[in-house]
Amino acid sequence: MTDTATTAAQASGPDETRRDFLLMATSAVGAVGVALACWPFIDSMNPSADVLALSSTGVDLSAIEEGQSITVVWRGKPVFIRHRTPEEIETAGAAPMDDLIDPQADTDRVLKPEWLIMIGICTHLGCIPLGQKVGDPRGDFDGWFCPCHGSHYDTSGRIRKGPAPRNMAIPPYEFTDETTIKIG
Amino acid sequence: MTKPQWNNGLVRWIDDRMPIFTLMHHELVDYPTPKNFNYWWNFGSLAGIVLVIMIVTGIFLAMSYTPHVDYAFESVERIVRDVNYGWLLRYLHMNGGSIFFIVVYIHLFRGLYYGSYKAPRELLWILGVLIIIVMMATAFMGYVLPWGQMSFWAATVITNLFSAVPVFGEAIVTWLWGGFSVDNPTLNRFFSFHYLLPFVLFALVFLHLWALHVHKSNNPLGIDVKGPQDTIPFSPYYTIKDLFGLGVLMVFYLFFVFFAPDFFGEPDNYIKADPLVTPTHIVPEWYFLPYYAILRAIPDKLGGVVAMFGSILILLILPWLDRSKVRSARFRPIYKQFFWILVVDCFVLGWIGAKPPEGIYITIGRIATAYYFLHFLVIIPLISMVERPKPLPESISTAVTKGGAAVKEAT
């Protein structure tokens, strides 16, 4: 009781800084608490355990002829697998680094030069580039062409022209034997 | 303003405890409104009515819709074929989106022409821009729900816009998707947000009206109301005018609903979503075409995204870019011409947005995009410095009742 009376009497005295401090400290703790409480809600929107559960896809390459491409699905994304021709390998290797938007040597993008394996998603805004089927437009660099906003990829899946910022991504994969790969 | 007298006992009892009837009487009946509105002033109330139509049809559609990648497409087809009047609900809702944007865009350009964004209505204008942004988010997520090819690829392209954010881009996109591609978690959350955002819109509209009712409406002359002689009560004069406008709008709207329900849509959206095949020519809904053209005009991913969002956000600072004290373009001979050039520019951007990104279309798109930003950042500030506005009328009354008593008084 006496405390209350004292505080009221000294309302404009040095006590005010103590009150200000208490108010600010309480507010800060409250704000941190609210921020922490937000996290479960935000994180609930991230990929769930079942989505995250790693899946790997095995592919038998023996049936793919030279110059042919197939598309397989890995983690809900299309993966382009292309059995490249010697000419394609040569043009990919010969491309001068200065001409590349996202410089990367062709040899860094393949385990075996004849097999180009990459995630078939345009790095601009996520469309699936054309060039897998016979008769598809393949762009100015004879690789892939994204119809959405006009990105041109070369025979190594590297971006050469258009709005995409990066080369098409290479998924983690390994050869389990001469003609079989495991993606993921 | 006098306090209205209520005859009904129950109304009096409620009003005494919470003066909701008095409030409504002041804001909707007595409400003093400039007496010189033209038909461009119909579009605010029309937008409000379309919002209500969208909410009502949407609530009933949600009763028959299944937000799951395996059932969404089929459930929408079932709504159209099997649910009683489901076709009507869906087509009202689907075309209602387009009508909503037509009405709101006209409302926006009305504001640009008559300087409705200028002091003291800056906050009112900013709330309006926020309404448009929330509308766009709502419309985009609603477009995804039928889970056709266009739905799926719209969702993919638009969510990928956020991957342009430096450092956190990929994490943000994964978070938006709830996975590694647009999939069931994405569809579920879009449905949740599509149901939520219209109510956010409703709240923003309430704030927009609140701000409006503080300084009251602008008018075609753009001059302040000087006294009661310049105004008429909102009801019955403008309620009846707004109702007439509503009738005209409904003829236009229902024509599409009944006779051309897919006019604004894309045939590809009647193909079920396929994550492995991008349609060869993807285009957004018509109301996003100008922004899409701006996105594609910039040959850099982050730059394109920034320009696209910037094109709408720039409206937020318009009240401070335009230094001219004169509101209405009627008295601003130079501004008036550039206003119409901007309108043409926006149509050009819309046309380019619908074209494939190649050849001459890229060049035109870049010029139109550059002009759009030039209009707001350079032309508008310059005009407001060099332009000599025409003389403003003494008052609304003087201008409206030509040669009347008020004119003599003024001279």
Side-chain angles (χ1 to χ4, degrees), chain B residues 116-171:
Chain B
S116 302
Y117 49 86
K118 290 184 188 179
R121 297 186 183 85
E122 302 97 321
L123 191 59
L124 172 62
W125 174 260
I126 288 170
L127 284 163
V129 177
L130 293 181
I131 287 173
I132 291 185
I133 293 170
V134 176
M135 256 179 84
M136 287 174 174
T138 313
F140 156 63
M141 291 196 233
Y143 191 61
V144 173
L145 301 184
W147 208 244
Q149 270 290 62
M150 284 296 173
S151 302
F152 183 88
W153 291 101
T156 300
V157 169
I158 303 295
T159 49
N160 262 305
L161 293 177
F162 293 93
S163 70
V165 175
V167 188
F168 304 107
E170 293 298 324

Coordinates of all heavy atoms in Angstrom, one line a residue, chain B residues 116-171:
Chain B
S116 N -7.6 12.3 -57.7 CA -8.2 11.9 -56.4 C -7.1 11.5 -55.4 O -7.4 11.3 -54.2 CB -9.2 10.8 -56.6 OG -10.2 11.2 -57.5
Y117 N -5.9 11.3 -55.8 CA -4.8 10.9 -54.9 C -4.2 12.0 -54.1 O -3.4 11.8 -53.2 CB -3.7 10.1 -55.7 CG -3.2 10.8 -56.9 CD1 -2.2 11.7 -56.8 CD2 -3.8 10.6 -58.2 CE1 -1.8 12.4 -57.9 CE2 -3.4 11.3 -59.3 CZ -2.3 12.2 -59.1 OH -1.9 12.9 -60.3
K118 N -4.5 13.2 -54.5 CA -3.8 14.4 -53.9 C -4.4 14.7 -52.5 O -5.5 14.4 -52.1 CB -3.9 15.6 -54.8 CG -3.1 15.3 -56.1 CD -3.1 16.5 -57.0 CE -2.5 16.1 -58.3 NZ -2.4 17.2 -59.2
A119 N -3.6 15.5 -51.8 CA -4.0 15.9 -50.4 C -5.4 16.5 -50.4 O -5.7 17.2 -51.4 CB -3.0 17.0 -49.9
P120 N -6.2 16.1 -49.5 CA -5.9 15.3 -48.3 C -6.3 13.9 -48.4 O -6.6 13.2 -47.4 CB -6.7 16.0 -47.2 CG -8.0 16.4 -48.0 CD -7.6 16.7 -49.4
R121 N -6.2 13.3 -49.6 CA -6.7 12.0 -49.8 C -5.6 10.9 -50.1 O -5.9 9.9 -50.6 CB -7.8 11.9 -51.0 CG -9.0 12.8 -50.7 CD -10.0 12.7 -51.7 NE -11.1 13.6 -51.4 CZ -11.2 14.9 -51.8 NH1 -10.2 15.4 -52.4 NH2 -12.2 15.6 -51.4
E122 N -4.4 11.2 -49.7 CA -3.3 10.3 -49.9 C -3.5 9.0 -49.3 O -3.2 7.9 -49.9 CB -1.9 10.9 -49.4 CG -1.6 12.3 -50.0 CD -2.0 13.4 -49.0 OE1 -3.1 13.3 -48.4 OE2 -1.2 14.3 -48.9
L123 N -3.9 9.0 -48.0 CA -4.1 7.7 -47.3 C -5.2 6.9 -48.0 O -5.1 5.6 -48.1 CB -4.4 7.9 -45.9 CG -4.3 6.7 -45.0 CD1 -2.9 6.1 -45.0 CD2 -4.6 7.1 -43.5
L124 N -6.3 7.6 -48.4 CA -7.4 6.9 -49.1 C -6.8 6.2 -50.3 O -7.2 5.1 -50.6 CB -8.4 8.0 -49.4 CG -9.6 7.6 -50.3 CD1 -10.4 6.6 -49.7 CD2 -10.4 8.9 -50.6
W125 N -6.0 6.9 -51.1 CA -5.4 6.4 -52.3 C -4.5 5.2 -52.0 O -4.5 4.1 -52.6 CB -4.5 7.5 -53.0 CG -3.7 7.0 -54.1 CD1 -2.4 6.8 -54.2 CD2 -4.2 6.8 -55.5 NE1 -2.0 6.4 -55.4 CE2 -3.1 6.4 -56.3 CE3 -5.5 6.9 -56.1 CZ2 -3.2 6.1 -57.6 CZ3 -5.6 6.6 -57.4 CH2 -4.5 6.2 -58.2
I126 N -3.7 5.3 -50.9 CA -2.7 4.2 -50.5 C -3.6 3.0 -50.2 O -3.2 1.8 -50.6 CB -1.8 4.6 -49.4 CG1 -0.8 5.6 -49.9 CG2 -1.1 3.5 -48.7 CD1 0.0 6.3 -48.8
L127 N -4.6 3.2 -49.4 CA -5.5 2.0 -49.1 C -6.0 1.4 -50.3 O -6.2 0.1 -50.4 CB -6.6 2.5 -48.2 CG -6.2 2.7 -46.7 CD1 -7.3 3.5 -46.0 CD2 -6.0 1.4 -46.0
G128 N -6.4 2.2 -51.3 CA -6.9 1.7 -52.6 C -5.8 0.8 -53.3 O -6.1 -0.3 -53.8
V129 N -4.6 1.3 -53.3 CA -3.5 0.5 -53.9 C -3.3 -0.8 -53.2 O -3.2 -1.9 -53.8 CB -2.2 1.3 -54.0 CG1 -1.1 0.5 -54.6 CG2 -2.4 2.6 -54.8
L130 N -3.4 -0.8 -51.8 CA -3.3 -2.0 -51.1 C -4.4 -3.0 -51.4 O -4.2 -4.2 -51.6 CB -3.3 -1.7 -49.6 CG -2.1 -1.0 -49.0 CD1 -2.3 -0.8 -47.5 CD2 -0.8 -1.7 -49.3
I131 N -5.6 -2.4 -51.6 CA -6.8 -3.3 -52.0 C -6.5 -4.0 -53.3 O -6.7 -5.2 -53.5 CB -8.0 -2.4 -52.1 CG1 -8.5 -2.0 -50.7 CG2 -9.1 -3.1 -52.9 CD1 -9.7 -1.1 -50.7
I132 N -5.9 -3.2 -54.3 CA -5.6 -3.9 -55.6 C -4.5 -5.0 -55.4 O -4.7 -6.0 -56.0 CB -5.1 -2.8 -56.6 CG1 -6.3 -1.9 -57.0 CG2 -4.5 -3.5 -57.9 CD1 -6.0 -0.9 -58.0
I133 N -3.5 -4.7 -54.6 CA -2.5 -5.8 -54.4 C -3.1 -7.0 -53.8 O -2.9 -8.1 -54.3 CB -1.4 -5.2 -53.5 CG1 -0.6 -4.1 -54.3 CG2 -0.4 -6.3 -53.1 CD1 0.3 -3.3 -53.5
V134 N -3.9 -6.9 -52.8 CA -4.6 -8.0 -52.1 C -5.5 -8.7 -53.1 O -5.6 -9.9 -53.2 CB -5.3 -7.6 -50.9 CG1 -6.1 -8.8 -50.3 CG2 -4.4 -7.1 -49.8
M135 N -6.2 -7.9 -54.0 CA -7.1 -8.5 -55.0 C -6.3 -9.4 -55.9 O -6.8 -10.4 -56.4 CB -7.7 -7.3 -55.8 CG -9.1 -7.0 -55.6 SD -9.6 -5.6 -56.6 CE -10.0 -6.5 -58.1
M136 N -5.1 -8.9 -56.3 CA -4.3 -9.7 -57.3 C -3.9 -11.0 -56.7 O -3.9 -12.0 -57.3 CB -3.0 -8.9 -57.6 CG -3.3 -7.7 -58.6 SD -1.9 -6.8 -58.8 CE -2.4 -5.6 -60.0
A137 N -3.5 -10.9 -55.4 CA -3.1 -12.2 -54.7 C -4.3 -13.1 -54.7 O -4.1 -14.3 -54.9 CB -2.5 -11.9 -53.3
T138 N -5.4 -12.6 -54.3 CA -6.6 -13.4 -54.2 C -7.0 -14.0 -55.6 O -7.3 -15.2 -55.7 CB -7.8 -12.6 -53.7 OG1 -7.4 -11.8 -52.6 CG2 -9.0 -13.4 -53.3
A139 N -6.9 -13.2 -56.6 CA -7.3 -13.7 -57.9 C -6.4 -14.8 -58.4 O -6.8 -15.8 -59.0 CB -7.3 -12.5 -58.9
F140 N -5.1 -14.6 -58.2 CA -4.1 -15.5 -58.6 C -4.3 -16.9 -57.9 O -4.3 -17.9 -58.6 CB -2.7 -15.0 -58.3 CG -1.6 -16.1 -58.1 CD1 -1.3 -16.9 -59.1 CD2 -1.0 -16.2 -56.9 CE1 -0.3 -17.9 -59.0 CE2 0.0 -17.2 -56.7 CZ 0.3 -18.1 -57.8
M141 N -4.5 -16.9 -56.6 CA -4.7 -18.1 -55.9 C -6.0 -18.8 -56.3 O -6.1 -20.0 -56.4 CB -4.6 -17.9 -54.4 CG -3.2 -17.5 -54.0 SD -3.0 -17.7 -52.2 CE -2.4 -16.1 -51.9
G142 N -7.0 -18.0 -56.6 CA -8.3 -18.6 -57.0 C -8.1 -19.2 -58.4 O -8.7 -20.3 -58.6
Y143 N -7.3 -18.7 -59.2 CA -7.1 -19.2 -60.6 C -6.4 -20.6 -60.5 O -6.6 -21.4 -61.4 CB -6.2 -18.2 -61.4 CG -6.1 -18.5 -62.8 CD1 -7.3 -18.6 -63.6 CD2 -4.9 -18.8 -63.4 CE1 -7.2 -18.8 -65.0 CE2 -4.8 -19.0 -64.8 CZ -6.0 -19.1 -65.5 OH -5.9 -19.3 -66.9
V144 N -5.7 -20.8 -59.4 CA -4.9 -22.1 -59.2 C -5.9 -23.2 -58.8 O -5.7 -24.4 -59.2 CB -3.8 -21.9 -58.2 CG1 -3.2 -23.3 -57.9 CG2 -2.8 -20.9 -58.7
L145 N -7.0 -22.9 -58.2 CA -7.8 -23.9 -57.6 C -8.4 -24.9 -58.5 O -8.5 -26.1 -58.2 CB -9.0 -23.3 -56.7 CG -8.5 -22.3 -55.6 CD1 -9.6 -21.8 -54.8 CD2 -7.5 -23.1 -54.7
P146 N -8.9 -24.6 -59.8 CA -9.4 -25.6 -60.6 C -8.4 -26.6 -61.1 O -8.8 -27.7 -61.7 CB -10.0 -24.8 -61.8 CG -10.0 -23.4 -61.4 CD -9.0 -23.2 -60.4
W147 N -7.1 -26.4 -60.9 CA -6.0 -27.3 -61.1 C -6.0 -27.8 -62.6 O -5.7 -29.0 -62.8 CB -6.2 -28.5 -60.1 CG -4.9 -29.2 -59.8 CD1 -4.5 -30.5 -60.1 CD2 -3.7 -28.6 -59.2 NE1 -3.2 -30.7 -59.7 CE2 -2.7 -29.6 -59.1 CE3 -3.5 -27.3 -58.6 CZ2 -1.5 -29.4 -58.5 CZ3 -2.2 -27.1 -58.0 CH2 -1.3 -28.1 -58.0
G148 N -6.2 -26.9 -63.5 CA -6.0 -27.2 -64.9 C -4.5 -26.8 -65.2 O -3.7 -26.4 -64.3
Q149 N -4.1 -27.0 -66.5 CA -2.8 -26.7 -66.9 C -2.4 -25.3 -66.6 O -1.3 -25.0 -66.2 CB -2.6 -27.0 -68.4 CG -2.2 -28.5 -68.7 CD -0.8 -28.8 -68.3 OE1 -0.4 -28.7 -67.1 NE2 0.1 -29.1 -69.2
M150 N -3.3 -24.3 -67.0 CA -2.9 -22.9 -66.7 C -2.8 -22.6 -65.2 O -2.0 -21.9 -64.8 CB -3.9 -22.0 -67.4 CG -3.8 -21.9 -68.9 SD -2.2 -21.2 -69.3 CE -2.2 -21.4 -71.1
S151 N -3.7 -23.3 -64.4 CA -3.6 -23.1 -63.0 C -2.2 -23.5 -62.5 O -1.6 -22.8 -61.8 CB -4.6 -24.0 -62.3 OG -5.9 -23.7 -62.7
F152 N -1.9 -24.7 -62.9 CA -0.6 -25.3 -62.4 C 0.6 -24.4 -62.8 O 1.4 -24.1 -62.0 CB -0.4 -26.7 -62.9 CG 0.8 -27.4 -62.4 CD1 0.8 -28.1 -61.2 CD2 2.0 -27.3 -63.0 CE1 1.9 -28.7 -60.7 CE2 3.2 -27.8 -62.5 CZ 3.1 -28.5 -61.3
W153 N 0.6 -24.0 -64.1 CA 1.8 -23.3 -64.5 C 1.8 -21.9 -64.1 O 2.9 -21.3 -63.9 CB 2.0 -23.5 -66.0 CG 2.4 -24.9 -66.3 CD1 1.6 -25.9 -66.7 CD2 3.7 -25.5 -66.0 NE1 2.3 -27.1 -66.7 CE2 3.5 -26.9 -66.2 CE3 4.9 -25.0 -65.5 CZ2 4.6 -27.8 -66.0 CZ3 5.9 -25.9 -65.3 CH2 5.8 -27.3 -65.6
A154 N 0.6 -21.3 -63.9 CA 0.6 -20.0 -63.3 C 1.2 -20.1 -61.9 O 2.0 -19.2 -61.5 CB -0.9 -19.5 -63.2
A155 N 0.8 -21.1 -61.1 CA 1.3 -21.2 -59.7 C 2.8 -21.4 -59.8 O 3.5 -20.8 -59.0 CB 0.6 -22.5 -59.1
T156 N 3.3 -22.2 -60.7 CA 4.7 -22.4 -60.8 C 5.5 -21.2 -61.1 O 6.4 -20.8 -60.4 CB 5.0 -23.5 -61.9 OG1 4.3 -24.7 -61.5 CG2 6.5 -23.8 -62.0
V157 N 5.0 -20.4 -62.1 CA 5.7 -19.2 -62.6 C 5.7 -18.2 -61.5 O 6.7 -17.5 -61.1 CB 5.2 -18.7 -63.9 CG1 5.7 -17.3 -64.2 CG2 5.5 -19.7 -65.0
I158 N 4.5 -17.9 -60.9 CA 4.3 -16.8 -60.0 C 5.1 -17.1 -58.7 O 5.8 -16.2 -58.1 CB 2.9 -16.5 -59.7 CG1 2.1 -16.2 -61.0 CG2 2.7 -15.4 -58.7 CD1 2.5 -15.0 -61.7
T159 N 5.0 -18.4 -58.2 CA 5.8 -18.7 -56.9 C 7.3 -18.6 -57.2 O 8.0 -18.2 -56.3 CB 5.4 -20.0 -56.4 OG1 5.5 -21.0 -57.4 CG2 4.0 -20.1 -55.8
N160 N 7.7 -18.9 -58.4 CA 9.1 -18.9 -58.7 C 9.6 -17.4 -58.8 O 10.8 -17.2 -58.8 CB 9.4 -19.6 -60.1 CG 9.9 -21.0 -59.9 OD1 10.9 -21.2 -59.2 ND2 9.2 -21.9 -60.4
L161 N 8.7 -16.5 -58.9 CA 9.1 -15.1 -58.9 C 10.0 -14.8 -57.6 O 10.9 -14.0 -57.6 CB 7.9 -14.1 -58.9 CG 7.1 -14.1 -60.2 CD1 5.9 -13.1 -60.0 CD2 7.9 -13.6 -61.3
F162 N 9.6 -15.5 -56.5 CA 10.2 -15.2 -55.3 C 11.6 -15.8 -55.2 O 12.4 -15.5 -54.3 CB 9.4 -15.7 -54.1 CG 8.1 -14.9 -54.0 CD1 6.9 -15.3 -54.6 CD2 8.1 -13.7 -53.3 CE1 5.8 -14.6 -54.6 CE2 6.9 -13.0 -53.2 CZ 5.8 -13.4 -53.8
S163 N 11.9 -16.7 -56.2 CA 13.3 -17.3 -56.2 C 14.3 -16.3 -56.6 O 15.5 -16.5 -56.5 CB 13.3 -18.6 -57.1 OG 13.2 -18.2 -58.4
A164 N 13.8 -15.1 -57.1 CA 14.7 -14.1 -57.5 C 15.3 -13.3 -56.3 O 16.3 -12.6 -56.4 CB 14.0 -13.1 -58.4
V165 N 14.7 -13.5 -55.1 CA 15.2 -12.9 -53.9 C 16.6 -13.4 -53.7 O 16.8 -14.6 -53.7 CB 14.3 -13.2 -52.7 CG1 14.8 -12.6 -51.4 CG2 12.9 -12.7 -53.0
P166 N 17.6 -12.5 -53.5 CA 18.9 -12.9 -53.2 C 19.0 -13.8 -51.9 O 18.2 -13.5 -51.0 CB 19.7 -11.6 -53.0 CG 18.9 -10.6 -53.6 CD 17.4 -11.0 -53.5
V167 N 19.9 -14.7 -51.9 CA 20.2 -15.6 -50.8 C 19.0 -16.5 -50.4 O 19.1 -17.7 -50.4 CB 20.7 -14.8 -49.6 CG1 21.3 -15.8 -48.5 CG2 21.8 -13.9 -50.0
F168 N 17.9 -15.9 -49.9 CA 16.8 -16.7 -49.4 C 15.8 -17.2 -50.4 O 14.9 -17.9 -50.1 CB 16.1 -15.9 -48.3 CG 16.9 -15.3 -47.2 CD1 17.2 -14.0 -47.2 CD2 17.5 -16.2 -46.3 CE1 18.1 -13.5 -46.2 CE2 18.3 -15.7 -45.3 CZ 18.6 -14.3 -45.2
G169 N 16.0 -16.8 -51.7 CA 15.1 -17.2 -52.7 C 14.6 -18.6 -52.7 O 13.4 -18.8 -52.6
E170 N 15.5 -19.5 -52.8 CA 15.1 -21.0 -52.9 C 14.3 -21.4 -51.6 O 13.3 -22.1 -51.7 CB 16.4 -21.8 -53.0 CG 17.1 -21.6 -54.4 CD 16.2 -22.0 -55.6 OE1 15.4 -23.0 -55.4 OE2 16.3 -21.3 -56.6
A171 N 14.8 -20.9 -50.5 CA 14.1 -21.3 -49.2 C 12.7 -20.8 -49.2 O 11.8 -21.5 -48.7 CB 14.9 -20.8 -48.0

